[in-house]
Amino acid sequence: MDVSIEPGAIQANLTATSQDELFSKMAQPLVLAGKVHDDFAQHVIDREKAFPTGLPFENFGVAIPHTDPEHVIEPAVAVATLAEPVEFRVMGDPDQTVLVTLVFVLALNDGYAHLEFLQKVIKLAQDADSVEKMFSARDDRSLFELVKRFLT
Amino acid sequence: MAKKRILFVCATGIATSTVVEEKVCDYLREQGIDFEADQRNVGSVPSIGNDFDLIVASTQVPYDIDTPVISGLPFLTGIGADETLKKIKDVLTK
């Protein structure tokens, strides 16, 4: 099944003062769209504490929070650029932190089936020009158009 | 040389390790290295980790095992990816 990209789940210049607030705000549209179970955000929060997903790039930080497949109903993604950076711990190196301004919440339930999608997410994060365009998107709709173009 | 065994791990075993596995396996095939790969979540490392020649992890591996562990992070950020591929090859061909 294709990974769904819904306009409601793509948010530009989102304001969040903590990871908890961030994950709740990003998960809510996925819950409303019936893509994930009600307690998805809490599982992402718990998972992020145990297995952080911050990725330090040269000029910015990206995070790709996700959780176990059983919390997902249908594969989907939520994307947000952040008005102010939120601190994450670095994936595989939790003593390090990274200031994150671009977040992909991955609601996936089958890694091999979604490999192509994951590769697109990683490739996008590595492409500074595309990421710069996303940071420049002033509203949710413009960011949605960019995400749709970059990830499909 | 015996077939080498590589284990790819991340926290869920379905997300980041899939991307890392694809990149590493493509490279090893290009290099003509005979290997087989498996992909699990990090929790399976204590029980099966020592059956492998190398573990490539995109999460912390908080276990004491004999198998060398290499971070898969460079394949996600692109920073230091080539050096890490070389390191993986060195471990498998030494």
Side-chain angles (χ1 to χ4, degrees), chain A residues 47 50-51 54-58 64 66-69 90-94 106 108-112 115 118-119 122 126, chain B residues 10-16 18-19 21-23 38-39 42 57-62 71 73-79:
Chain A
R47 171 58 61 138
F51 301 105
L55 298 173
F57 291 88
E58 247 162 63
I64 52 168
H66 51 279
T67 186
D68 293 320
V90 171
M91 186 184 289
D93 193 3
L106 308 171
L108 305 179
N109 48 17
D110 184 340
Y112 284 105
L115 175 59
L118 282 164
Q119 285 170 329
I122 297 300
Q126 291 182 3
Chain B
C10 63
T12 59
I14 64 159
T16 51
T18 320
V19 176
E21 178 177 358
E22 179 88 355
K23 293 198 183 194
D38 199 355
Q39 187 201 39
V42 67
S58 48
T59 185
Q60 203 186 12
V61 179
S71 168
L73 190 67
F75 305 112
L76 302 174
T77 61
I79 300 166

Side-chain angles (χ1 to χ4, degrees), chain A residues 1-4 33-36 72-77 107-109 114:
Chain A
M1 185 182 280
D2 282 349
V3 178
S4 134
K35 303 295 182 189
V36 298
V72 174
I73 300 166
E74 286 177 5
V77 65
L108 305 179
N109 48 17
H114 303 140

Side-chain angles (χ1 to χ4, degrees), chain A residues 129-147:
Chain A
D129 288 346
S130 299
V131 170
E132 204 49 55
K133 284 194 183 103
M134 292 174 74
F135 287 142
S136 307
R138 289 181 181 281
D139 52 47
D140 295 355
R141 190 75 210 178
S142 336
L143 183 62
F144 169 72
E145 299 295 344
L146 287 170
V147 169

Side-chain angles (χ1 to χ4, degrees), chain A residues 2-3 5 116-117 120 145-152:
Chain A
D2 282 349
V3 178
I5 305 172
E116 203 184 331
F117 181 81
K120 279 183 184 155
E145 299 295 344
L146 287 170
V147 169
K148 193 94 185 159
R149 172 144 60 92
F150 292 147
L151 294 183
T152 49

Side-chain angles (χ1 to χ4, degrees), chain A residues 7-66:
Chain A
I10 312 300
Q11 305 178 72
N13 295 314
L14 187 64
T15 307
T17 54
S18 67
Q19 286 184 12
D20 291 14
E21 187 187 352
L22 175 64
F23 296 158
S24 300
K25 283 183 170 176
M26 291 185 73
Q28 199 182 16
L30 299 179
V31 173
L32 289 174
K35 303 295 182 189
V36 298
H37 294 290
D38 291 352
D39 56 357
F40 179 78
Q42 190 55 51
H43 289 288
V44 173
I45 290 165
D46 294 345
R47 171 58 61 138
E48 187 69 28
K49 287 199 175 90
F51 301 105
T53 67
L55 298 173
F57 291 88
E58 247 162 63
N59 299 316
F60 50 85
V62 176
I64 52 168
H66 51 279

